Amino acid sequence: QVQLVESGGGLVQPGGSLRLSCVASGFMFNHYTMYWYRQAPGNQRDFVALITSGGATSYADSVKGRFTISRDNAKNTVYLQMNSLKPEDTAVYYCNLNIGMPHWGQGTQVTVSS
């Protein structure tokens, strides 16, 4: 079955960087668009970025120019490089895939605070 396992979150100061990883299994990874979402306390889960099977990318306006999504099909892994982090980036970050239904990982906490 589909499994998505995120890692790489943590506590970082404003202006800092983190790289999130999502290791996928249970499906033909290189065939599918992969997504990152985030959810701050009390908020809905919001789209952050996507990368298609062909490598095309799209970003939420709030992260454009600061975050970069990439994928390594040989490792079945999608990454989210986050630079110039702001306190408002604090959230649980989730990897997502849609095959008939949405599939989510367990999430990884990112906290941006001084």
Side-chain angles (χ1 to χ4, degrees):
Q1 69 274 24
V2 172
Q3 268 200 312
L4 302 171
V5 180
E6 302 97 333
S7 63
L11 173 63
V12 63
Q13 292 189 341
S17 298
L18 282 174
R19 189 176 82 153
L20 307 184
S21 300
C22 171
V23 179
S25 61
F27 64 102
M28 293 293 290
F29 178 80
N30 58 323
H31 287 190
Y32 290 94
T33 296
M34 298 297 298
Y35 301 79
W36 284 99
Y37 282 75
R38 66 185 181 185
Q39 187 168 20
N43 288 6
Q44 65 183 19
R45 197 168 293 189
D46 292 327
F47 167 78
V48 175
L50 69 83
I51 184 165
T52 69
S53 57
T57 59
S58 181
Y59 298 91
D61 287 344
S62 59
V63 307
K64 209 170 288 185
R66 300 187 298 123
F67 290 12
T68 302
I69 189 171
S70 61
R71 66 193 297 160
D72 185 338
N73 290 334
K75 295 183 178 179
N76 281 10
T77 302
V78 58
Y79 303 98
L80 187 68
Q81 177 67 44
M82 306 187 296
N83 299 330
S84 303
L85 282 161
K86 305 175 182 180
E88 52 263 43
D89 294 318
T90 295
V92 178
Y93 283 72
Y94 296 92
C95 186
N96 169 266
L97 160 77
N98 289 301
I99 303 179
M101 59 174 284
H103 297 272
W104 301 95
Q106 82 288 352
T108 186
Q109 175 71 48
V110 172
T111 303
V112 185
S113 174
S114 53

